[in-house]
Amino acid sequence: MILYHTGFQVIQTPDVHYGRKNADFGQGFYLTSDGEFAHRWARQRMGEKTIVNTYAFDEEGLTVHRFCRDAAWFDYLSGNRRLKPDTLAADVIIGPIANDTLYDTFGIITSGFLKPEDAMRLLLIGPEYTQITLKTAKAAERLKWLSAEVLSPEDTARYSEMTASEQGAYQILFAQELERLTQNGHEG
């Protein structure tokens, strides 16, 4: 499997213990199998290069947990966001990226004012992108760095324009669904 990680440095040997513990799939090294996605969500940072690392990954012999957009996925990411102990014993987690990670939802989904089922309905809006999270050193050892592509500021700006367009379309859908929830009296 070919995987991508976008950031501001070349990462030949990832550290699965680096990063936020309250991320959707908990602490780990986050990648995607979608090269276009990796490029479109690249960002610029003053004084740093934007880099898309490419890897080959062999999941054979690893414990892999696959999520789809369902209640189990929602419960798992909600627990991680609240720093509950991770009881899922997996080397690798593959599943959807929660759209409030990608798009500005103004904190509504995680505000605590919504019922869990309403928060999940809002998370189901928009496109579905996949993330692959390496959770263990054993999984990281199966990741082979292939290359690093430095994106020019012009390329990053062009990709950001594409993402901004998608963000606008998403926010329209989000507002429509939020309005339906409000009209139906589903708010928390």
Side-chain angles (χ1 to χ4, degrees), residues 14-173:
D15 180 356
V16 296
H17 303 293
Y18 179 79
R20 295 183 2 233
K21 291 182 180 182
N22 67 338
D24 289 349
F25 292 166
Q27 196 168 44
F29 187 64
Y30 283 72
L31 304 116
T32 183
S33 56
D34 185 340
E36 181 184 335
F37 173 83
H39 285 78
R40 285 192 315 112
W41 291 92
R43 298 292 174 254
Q44 290 183 19
R45 187 185 288 168
M46 184 71 81
E48 296 194 59
K49 295 177 182 177
T50 302
I51 298 172
V52 178
N53 289 279
T54 303
Y55 305 88
F57 182 64
D58 179 9
E59 66 182 278
E60 188 176 328
L62 297 174
T63 304
V64 178
H65 187 89
R66 296 181 193 287
F67 279 110
C68 59
R69 282 174 151 178
D70 63 9
W73 165 77
F74 178 78
D75 289 344
Y76 186 73
L77 70 91
S78 295
N80 284 326
R81 288 177 176 189
R82 289 175 177 77
L83 295 174
K84 291 184 178 177
D86 187 349
T87 59
L88 185 63
D91 297 308
V92 180
I93 299 176
I94 300 174
I97 300 171
N99 282 338
D100 66 337
T101 302
L102 303 174
Y103 308 109
D104 187 359
T105 62
F106 313 104
I108 293 169
I109 293 174
T110 57
S111 67
F113 291 113
L114 296 173
K115 296 177 187 174
E117 60 269 19
D118 292 340
M120 183 171 165
R121 283 182 61 182
L122 290 171
L123 284 177
L124 297 179
I125 295 168
E128 184 175 329
Y129 296 109
T130 300
Q131 60 190 347
I132 293 95
T133 308
L134 307 184
K135 302 285 288 175
T136 64
K138 181 179 175 184
E141 290 169 3
R142 299 311 245 347
L143 191 68
K144 179 183 176 194
W145 181 83
L146 299 175
S147 65
E149 175 188 2
V150 177
L151 299 181
S152 71
E154 295 78 23
D155 283 342
T156 306
R158 184 171 45 83
Y159 289 126
S160 291
E161 286 176 22
M162 294 167 67
T163 303
S165 174
E166 188 174 295
Q167 165 90 359
Y170 170 82
Q171 286 184 331
I172 290 169
L173 293 172

